[in-house]
Amino acid sequence: MIKEFLEIGEIVGTHGIRGEVRLNPWCDTPDFVSKFKTLYYDSKGCCAAEIKSARPHGNIVLLSIKGVDTVEQAQKLRGKILWMKRSDAKLPEGSFFIAELIGCEVLDADSPEKAYGTLTDVSETGANDVWHITDKSGREYLIPSIPDVVIDTDVAENRILIRPLKGIFDDED
């Protein structure tokens, strides 16, 4: 399901004495966070955080937020989750956020009336992601997120069509 606001990371500490915060990003790279001019303190976009500057620093992002000018003010933000507005992100065609894939119904590409279950988690392995599909009985199956298996992903319709490899599901030969 396409979501208007998505979690982008957690403020895990301060940096220096001028109010900068350390953000642990929940995205592919810290560079992704550096492109945003506005982030949000809530999932509805009611409380905006205007970003004065953002720069990668190893595997974290150092943020300077308007109105946060002292280490004491920055310390009060520790543990806060920051959210991004999806329309502010520029994704390549056919790319999705993991948070949008979670909850999608997984169906057979050749027989769409056959449901395998719901996508409940994604593991990032390096070579390709592995999708966790949980059926109605609670059993979990793992499928590789590769073009031969994942035929169509439609987060707007909350569905994914797959052609599973033999042996993944019990009824496969």
Side-chain angles (χ1 to χ4, degrees):
M1 165 173 38
I2 295 179
K3 299 178 179 181
E4 186 176 6
F5 292 93
L6 299 162
E7 294 178 349
I8 199 164
E10 178 183 8
I11 297 174
V12 294
T14 63
H15 182 78
I17 60 170
R18 294 194 172 100
E20 276 190 308
V21 296
R22 298 166 53 89
L23 181 79
N24 179 25
W26 297 339
C27 48
D28 290 342
T29 68
D31 290 325
F32 181 77
V33 177
S34 301
K35 299 173 185 170
F36 291 90
K37 300 294 183 208
T38 304
L39 295 173
Y40 302 87
Y41 292 113
D42 65 318
S43 63
K44 296 182 179 22
C46 297
C47 195
E50 185 179 325
I51 307 303
K52 293 191 298 189
S53 69
R55 65 187 190 283
H57 184 74
N59 62 347
I60 64 161
V61 179
L62 300 177
L63 293 177
S64 179
I65 301 170
K66 185 176 181 181
V68 180
D69 301 312
T70 67
V71 70
E72 293 80 17
Q73 290 171 322
Q75 183 64 29
K76 290 178 183 176
L77 297 176
R78 182 187 293 260
K80 290 263 187 200
I81 305 299
L82 290 182
W83 300 71
M84 57 167 258
K85 190 172 186 178
R86 190 190 198 290
S87 59
D88 292 343
K90 308 296 182 234
L91 285 182
E93 184 72 29
S95 295
F96 307 97
F97 292 103
I98 290 173
E100 295 175 324
L101 294 171
I102 303 292
C104 283
E105 185 177 14
V106 181
L107 307 169
D108 190 283
D110 299 316
S111 304
E113 66 280 350
K114 180 177 182 180
Y116 291 111
T118 303
L119 184 73
T120 54
D121 199 7
V122 175
S123 296
E124 299 176 58
T125 64
N128 57 268
D129 289 349
V130 174
W131 290 2
H132 301 239
I133 300 169
T134 304
D135 67 13
K136 290 180 182 177
S137 70
R139 184 164 179 198
E140 183 178 70
Y141 299 91
L142 304 177
I143 66 163
S145 175
I146 58 175
D148 287 349
V149 174
V150 180
I151 307 305
D152 184 49
T153 303
D154 189 342
V155 293
E157 292 294 321
N158 203 39
R159 72 170 172 75
I160 298 168
L161 299 177
I162 66 168
R163 191 168 290 125
L165 299 171
K166 290 189 184 298
I168 291 180
F169 295 95
D170 292 337
D171 61 346
E172 294 292 322
D173 293 337

